[in-house]
Amino acid sequence: MQMNHAAFARSPALRVSLKRGLARQAIAIADRDAADMPGLIRMAAGLRPNAKAVERLALRLKGRPGVVRVAMAPGGKALSFITRAVRAVEARVEGATVFHETGLIYLRARVGMVGPGLGFQLSAVSFCAHALERLVERSDIDLQTALLPQVDAEARAIFRGRDRAARIEEAGDEYYPAETPGLWAGGHDEMALDPDWGLSNGCGRLPVFSARTFLSEAEMRPTVWLRWKGDPACRMA
């Protein structure tokens, strides 16, 4: 019996076998190509609110390591950029450390004029290694394509979901629609602003959605599946 390459790549057993290695590889590549956040923020702080200047700044940002997306805002007087980096994550609850892990952190910065001055609006998405493994195991992503660009697309999907208020809340859990068919399950946390960034928001923290696992349709609870399908009343019939 022979199996063609496409069928082999869809094999559940192959996905289970490769998930840990592909997740580690994606994190290692991201670590080598990490963003220089202090340098990027200094660069973005030079924004001038006219379309030509913003376009030039966008082009400069696009060429920097660790920058996965740059977009000009409507009107051409502001922009946003998304970066990625690998960080040691320490989860704390009520001052006590719960666990340590390595996180792939995506930071989105929206830069534009706020009144008479320049303002930065920051938010973040974090993927732990377990979440990346579940993406490989449970999704239909192409195993012939590098995993990291696919994770970049998933981070952008979560940011879009936040913008559209597409979060699903069910029994104390939180979910965002994924780029590939499925949901990211996790929760909202806070992460500390790095002092080297030279930014302050009064509390020294910024919001982060921590993606803990990926759910395909088969792993969703029925009520979560219905909400994902756009039925907020969760009607079974």
Side-chain angles (χ1 to χ4, degrees):
M1 179 181 294
Q2 292 184 336
M3 179 183 292
N4 64 38
H5 188 78
F8 186 66
R10 290 193 300 268
S11 164
L14 179 65
R15 289 183 176 277
V16 171
S17 176
L18 294 179
K19 65 180 182 179
R20 183 169 298 178
L22 290 177
R24 288 178 175 174
Q25 182 184 58
I27 290 173
I29 293 171
D31 197 26
R32 292 197 298 268
D33 191 42
D36 170 21
M37 282 306 302
L40 292 172
I41 289 174
R42 287 194 300 271
M43 186 183 300
L47 181 143
R48 297 294 178 267
N50 65 78
K52 286 295 184 183
V54 172
E55 185 177 0
R56 288 194 296 269
L57 176 59
L59 290 173
R60 291 177 63 201
L61 289 168
K62 285 180 181 178
R64 306 294 292 183
V67 176
V68 301
R69 188 173 192 273
V70 181
M72 293 177 60
K77 295 185 178 181
L79 59 74
S80 66
F81 61 93
I82 299 174
T83 68
R84 64 164 127 75
V86 176
R87 293 287 184 270
V89 177
E90 179 185 32
R92 299 175 64 86
V93 177
E94 297 181 352
T97 299
V98 179
F99 59 84
H100 296 269
E101 64 181 358
T102 298
L104 180 54
I105 311 294
Y106 289 82
L107 182 75
R108 181 174 68 176
R110 288 175 163 168
V111 190
M113 302 305 294
V114 179
L118 187 69
F120 287 76
Q121 182 183 8
L122 303 178
S123 57
V125 171
S126 172
F127 296 93
C128 60
H130 173 81
L132 302 185
E133 291 176 17
R134 287 296 189 235
L135 176 65
V136 174
E137 178 183 359
R138 295 173 170 174
S139 75
D140 59 358
I141 62 170
D142 187 355
L143 297 182
Q144 301 176 72
T145 302
L147 178 60
L148 188 58
Q150 298 183 81
V151 181
D152 293 347
E154 294 297 339
R156 296 197 300 269
I158 294 175
F159 283 124
R160 288 196 304 271
R162 293 182 67 165
D163 293 341
R164 300 195 313 266
R167 179 176 60 180
I168 297 170
E169 297 182 78
E170 175 80 10
D173 297 319
E174 300 179 36
Y175 309 87
Y176 278 104
E179 179 73 11
T180 193
L183 288 171
W184 288 104
H188 277 84
D189 300 311
E190 292 182 327
M191 61 180 285
L193 284 170
D194 192 320
D196 291 342
W197 297 352
L199 300 176
S200 175
N201 62 359
C203 67
R205 296 182 296 275
L206 63 94
V208 52
F209 177 74
S210 300
R212 296 298 177 196
T213 193
F214 175 83
L215 303 177
S216 66
E217 293 189 56
E219 284 79 35
M220 296 180 199
R221 293 195 297 267
T223 49
V224 172
W225 183 87
L226 286 167
R227 292 183 185 277
W228 178 55
K229 289 296 186 180
D231 187 349
C234 292
R235 294 183 296 270
M236 298 300 292

